[in-house]
Amino acid sequence: MARYDVLRAERDARTAAAPTHLGQRVRYLRGQRDDLLALAAERAAAFVALAEPREHDPQIIRELFGVRTLAVQDRRRWPRDAALRGGLGTHYDPLAQAVEALGQRTVRASSLAENRNSRRRGYFFLRRHLGHDDLARLQFFLNHRRFPRSEHHERVDKSPIEILSGETQPHWLESLGFTRFVRT
């Protein structure tokens, strides 16, 4: 938690230099500490879950995750990777595969948010005509509508809620109690 406080102090110091550009973002983030740190707590628990059965220190798993997320072209990756490979020996490859699987389960939040916002953009002009209930229905529809295509093959024909929960959901119309028309 101390890292968050350091980052917050740095952010506040930089805001003084550019209050018009950063002020609104800083005000938004100021009360979001628990939400921002939720991913870090979840990731730390995953590192412990990977480390305990193999009798390794979770810090080694954290370091391996950090190394594996660096680009292959990054010069910092290879000395760190070699040190881990030498220290872990035959345990390196199974741990690396487990860490890769953990990384693939991590949802890239900004790409999902950008995708969601681009999908919603076409509905923003309706704000004047739609009430709060209509916007809630729109939110439900967009969260349950399946992606027909994606750059990530594991997301094709899945809705955002299916991607985040990992569970198959019924069609959004069926979730609302309607029967889907099926052409025979």
Side-chain angles (χ1 to χ4, degrees), residues 43 47 58-71 74 76-77 80-81 84 99 102:
R43 176 80 42 84
F47 291 154
Q59 188 60 34
I60 291 173
I61 306 296
R62 181 175 282 110
E63 174 65 13
L64 183 59
F65 185 83
V67 167
R68 302 296 286 190
T69 56
L70 290 173
D74 194 332
R76 297 173 297 169
R77 178 179 176 152
R80 290 169 60 188
D81 186 63
L84 283 170
V99 165
L102 176 64

Side-chain angles (χ1 to χ4, degrees), residues 105-148:
R105 286 194 316 258
T106 303
V107 177
R108 301 284 183 193
S110 69
S111 64
L112 281 178
E114 290 169 14
N115 184 313
R116 184 191 67 214
N117 288 338
S118 70
R119 293 170 70 205
R120 290 189 321 186
R121 194 169 293 120
Y123 298 97
F124 287 159
F125 72 94
L126 298 172
R127 270 192 307 214
R128 293 184 200 130
H129 308 291
L130 296 177
H132 181 69
D133 292 339
D134 296 320
L135 291 175
R137 281 189 283 277
L138 177 62
Q139 179 184 10
F140 176 85
F141 167 73
L142 292 175
N143 283 336
H144 288 79
R145 183 171 179 257
R146 292 186 170 101
F147 296 120

Side-chain angles (χ1 to χ4, degrees), residues 140 146 169-180 182:
F140 176 85
R146 292 186 170 101
Q169 302 286 324
H171 189 273
W172 65 272
L173 284 171
E174 293 168 349
S175 295
L176 294 173
F178 295 104
T179 303
R180 289 176 55 196
V182 178

Side-chain angles (χ1 to χ4, degrees), residues 2-178:
R3 285 184 181 176
Y4 176 83
D5 296 330
V6 170
L7 291 173
R8 189 177 68 193
E10 285 294 320
R11 180 197 63 209
D12 291 343
R14 284 172 173 46
T15 303
T20 57
H21 296 293
L22 298 176
Q24 182 180 2
R25 290 187 180 109
V26 168
R27 281 190 299 278
Y28 173 75
L29 293 175
R30 204 167 262 143
Q32 303 293 326
R33 177 184 177 155
D34 294 338
D35 293 337
L36 292 171
L37 294 176
L39 177 62
E42 187 177 310
R43 176 80 42 84
F47 291 154
V48 169
L50 280 175
E52 282 182 354
R54 296 169 175 90
E55 298 179 359
H56 288 292
D57 182 13
Q59 188 60 34
I60 291 173
I61 306 296
R62 181 175 282 110
E63 174 65 13
L64 183 59
F65 185 83
V67 167
R68 302 296 286 190
T69 56
L70 290 173
V72 175
Q73 301 86 358
D74 194 332
R75 292 182 301 205
R76 297 173 297 169
R77 178 179 176 152
W78 300 111
R80 290 169 60 188
D81 186 63
L84 283 170
R85 202 175 279 274
L88 292 170
T90 59
H91 298 277
Y92 178 85
D93 287 329
L95 277 174
Q97 289 174 357
V99 165
E100 288 285 334
L102 176 64
Q104 289 176 353
R105 286 194 316 258
T106 303
V107 177
R108 301 284 183 193
S110 69
S111 64
L112 281 178
E114 290 169 14
N115 184 313
R116 184 191 67 214
N117 288 338
S118 70
R119 293 170 70 205
R120 290 189 321 186
R121 194 169 293 120
Y123 298 97
F124 287 159
F125 72 94
L126 298 172
R127 270 192 307 214
R128 293 184 200 130
H129 308 291
L130 296 177
H132 181 69
D133 292 339
D134 296 320
L135 291 175
R137 281 189 283 277
L138 177 62
Q139 179 184 10
F140 176 85
F141 167 73
L142 292 175
N143 283 336
H144 288 79
R145 183 171 179 257
R146 292 186 170 101
F147 296 120
R149 63 187 178 281
S150 176
E151 289 180 8
H152 303 279
H153 66 279
E154 65 272 6
R155 293 183 183 168
V156 174
D157 291 328
K158 290 188 179 176
S159 65
I161 198 160
E162 289 173 324
I163 293 169
L164 291 174
S165 70
E167 299 174 5
T168 303
Q169 302 286 324
H171 189 273
W172 65 272
L173 284 171
E174 293 168 349
S175 295
L176 294 173
F178 295 104

